[in-house]
Amino acid sequence: MDSQPASHTRQRSADLFARAQQLIPGGVNSPVRAFRSVGGAPFFTQRAEGAHLHTSDGDDLIDFVCTWGPAIHGHNDPDVRAAIAQALENGTSFGTPNPYEVEMAELIIELVPSVEKVRMCNSGTEATMSAIRLARGYTGRDKIIKFAGCYHGHVDSLLVKAGSGALTLGNPDSAGIPASFAAETIVLDYNDADTLRATFAQQGADIAAIIVEPYPANCGLILPDAGYLELLRELCTAHKSVLIFDEVMTGFRVALGGVQERVGITPDLTAMGKIIGGGLPVGAFGGKAEIMNQLAPLGPVYQAGTLSGNPLAMAAGIAALKKLKETNPYPLFETMGRTMRAALLDVAKAKGFPLQVPQVGSMFALFFSEQPVRNNEDATSSQTQHFNTLFKYALDHGVYLPPSAYETCFICTAHNGRDIEQAAEILAAGIRSI
Ligand SMILES: *Cc1c(COP(=O)(O)O)cnc(C)c1O
């Protein structure tokens, strides 16, 4: 099973990274890629196919990052690639409406239960930023509630206790954000129903919106207590606040219709991204027509984008969504996710080692802690050095886990039984070695 040479010098990557660090802050265009949390230098990827990354150093890695979520069909999926190639024949951007935008909107509205109207943008960050602005414009209120550990992109007012990237860098609040912006954001603990009720009792009339990752997945993976998401819906309805589900990660991932389909709760607005771009840069937000109609050009809330609805990104996303619809991979994801979870828990048990493996379908995370993790504080008090040791062992043996203890691992349709079995064996050996 151990096809990889033991830890070798990743010389090409080291050379590229040395050049990059002279040119790009930290050598990366997104901070978690720098491996600061797990230590060591990042590898560069030359090519990716299916569930495998082929690095600039000649390594073949079974990939559980899947480009941080979008690659649900694996890398370089032939159907997505063909759709992009076909769109490319006609040009890369028009600056006018194009037919793909209509097809994409029809697909999203068909698949995501709460969405009556949708607007495309270029990233998950744009989606949450715009949803927040829309909620404020619609309600005429300023305050928003977010939960510690939930990440909603690098939006000023949302970059407060914001999960993985910020957590692993050790500066949860970014410099450069005016205190007055952050003051409009109320940060609460996820799964704490009493504080949420009390906050609405005191300030309900000022609260424009709750924004939540319904399954927080940017501080490991946290699942809601029974009735908790229902309470969010009830309180927002009672106080005329807007309930925003940030399903940038969970949308089309845990079910075609995301968490909202699984739990049967209808948010007012939903932020989307990642999978809907098929690996190209995309975001989207949608929801109740009455609220969406407040957007320009119909209403007073301004939102725009030169490349929004880009034909290549739409073609890639449409191909990815159609393939999910046609193949329904979700039952298989559940089986593969459970297999992985059971293998990891077995070895931890045999070693008498505290390990929690929260898992939903194709998403799972490892917390080296005695207790189930219910919120950000539980997540950050787990033994991250154990995760870091496991990360290095796995990488040296051909398995790429996310380079931070606070990220979620993803399974894709291109992972076959052998990939899962082999990866589970390597991770088990890694846990034994801790
Ligand atoms: C990734 C992510 C975002 C941000 O999306 P970008 O495309 O990186 O801007 C927002 N919310 C959640 C839940 C995410 O996982």
Side-chain angles (χ1 to χ4, degrees), residues 123-126 128 151-154 213 218 246-249 274 282:
S123 69
T125 296
E126 278 185 45
T128 59
Y151 177 66
H152 304 294
H154 58 102
E213 286 184 80
N218 282 286
D246 179 351
E247 299 230 43
V248 171
M249 191 183 281
K274 297 195 168 126
V282 163

Side-chain angles (χ1 to χ4, degrees), residues 10-23 27 44-46 56-57:
R10 301 182 175 97
Q11 196 54 50
R12 282 246 169 81
S13 287
D15 293 345
L16 283 164
F17 195 51
R19 278 167 63 198
Q21 282 176 293
Q22 300 301 313
L23 308 165
F44 282 61
T45 300
Q46 203 66 33
S56 298
D57 312 299

